Amino acid sequence: MKYIILVISLLSSLYSDITLAKDTSASKSDLKKSKIKPASANSGTWSHNADADDHGTWTFNTETDIYRLGTYQNIAGSYADPNGWSVSLSLLNTQILGANNLFQGDTFINVAKSFTISDTLSISIGSLNGVALTNIHPQVWYDYTYSDTQYNVTPSLMIHLGPYLANAALTGTTRQVGFLTGAEITFIPNKLALQMDYISGRQALSGATVNLLFNFTPSYQMYTGVYVPEQNSGYEFSGIVGFNYATAH
């Protein structure tokens, strides 16, 4: 089972955050409004080889992020064509439980291109852009551009590493350059895997996710895990539960 992490995010994953606030009481509410998951575009979500299917692949994801003070829902859909291009549309951070239930979500579009170098090496280049739909005035534009190199060390171990550039609206500080990295360990081929992602820095984007992925069928997948915030991110630990559907394995 080969996973090439493209989108978002997503994502997944990857899972990542936005906008530092000046006081502690405001920071958690404001940050959750802008939380994104740009690590390799969809860290924690279903990853797939974009050129595995001659007709392309549609992928759909729903994820619940559970914090101590609230629960948020993320929904995403993506398409990957046989030539390595992929595009995704995500509605993130819609609060469904907890106090201060005012925010209705962020909309992001991710476009990425995957280049297959060999049977074990590939490179993805992409850009994630979006806006907050409500409750932010003046409106700001979020931009996260990245490159991610994936290498299959063995059939059961994939690692990835690459740089990213994020604008000030995402980091909560200034425009910053950092790196993303991670690994995926397959315990049972086409059935069970562990996915780990990390985004460097000491700002709102920085943090790590660890997810256990289980394939019910070739098209349906469930994952569960935890988000671990970095120092000065302004976030708390959260639990993750997600489901994926893909039109191709």
Side-chain angles (χ1 to χ4, degrees):
M1 179 174 59
K2 181 179 179 181
Y3 293 90
I4 296 179
I5 307 173
L6 287 176
V7 184
I8 138 254
S9 174
L10 23 265
L11 132 149
S12 308
S13 82
L14 342 111
Y15 295 123
S16 325
D17 314 271
I18 302 175
T19 312
L20 291 171
K22 293 183 179 179
D23 64 85
T24 303
S25 62
S27 66
K28 289 184 179 178
S29 175
D30 292 342
L31 282 168
K32 284 177 185 174
K33 292 178 183 178
S34 304
K35 177 177 178 288
I36 65 168
K37 305 182 300 177
S40 305
N42 240 356
S43 166
T45 65
W46 186 295
S47 309
H48 59 275
N49 191 338
D51 50 20
D53 179 6
D54 290 340
H55 304 289
T57 301
W58 288 93
T59 305
F60 303 94
N61 164 255
T62 178
E63 178 185 295
T64 304
D65 295 339
I66 306 167
Y67 293 85
R68 182 173 58 88
L69 299 178
T71 300
Y72 292 76
Q73 194 68 32
N74 307 309
I75 300 173
S78 67
Y79 174 76
D81 75 8
N83 298 314
W85 284 98
S86 70
V87 60
S88 72
L89 177 64
S90 304
L91 177 64
L92 307 181
N93 315 312
T94 299
Q95 187 174 1
I96 57 176
L97 293 173
N100 301 317
N101 193 352
L102 299 175
F103 184 67
Q104 298 303 313
D106 294 326
T107 300
F108 288 92
I109 294 177
N110 184 85
V111 178
K113 178 71 168 73
S114 179
F115 302 90
T116 300
I117 309 302
S118 68
D119 290 340
T120 59
L121 183 66
S122 64
I123 299 174
S124 299
I125 299 174
S127 183
L128 185 74
N129 291 269
V131 295
L133 294 181
T134 60
N135 298 333
I136 292 184
H137 302 284
Q139 192 65 262
V140 295
W141 184 261
Y142 303 129
D143 175 70
Y144 176 91
T145 301
Y146 62 91
S147 175
D148 194 16
T149 299
Q150 299 101 29
Y151 177 62
N152 291 324
V153 181
T154 70
S156 299
L157 174 63
M158 183 275 289
I159 59 176
H160 72 92
L161 175 68
Y164 73 83
L165 173 66
N167 69 356
L170 283 179
T171 66
T173 55
T174 61
R175 182 179 296 273
Q176 294 195 22
V177 175
F179 70 89
L180 58 92
T181 188
E184 185 173 281
I185 302 171
T186 300
F187 299 118
I188 304 175
N190 302 318
K191 185 63 67 174
L192 185 66
L194 181 68
Q195 189 179 76
M196 300 167 285
D197 290 287
Y198 172 74
I199 291 183
S200 71
R202 294 292 187 272
Q203 29 82 7
L205 282 177
S206 308
T209 56
V210 179
N211 285 299
L212 189 66
L213 303 91
F214 177 76
N215 293 359
F216 291 103
T217 72
S219 293
Y220 291 94
Q221 181 187 72
M222 175 185 178
Y223 61 94
T224 183
V226 63
Y227 165 72
V228 182
E230 257 290 8
Q231 296 179 9
N232 301 326
S233 73
Y235 274 87
E236 60 189 37
F237 286 81
S238 66
I240 300 167
V241 178
F243 295 89
N244 294 295
Y245 169 77
T247 57
H249 191 181

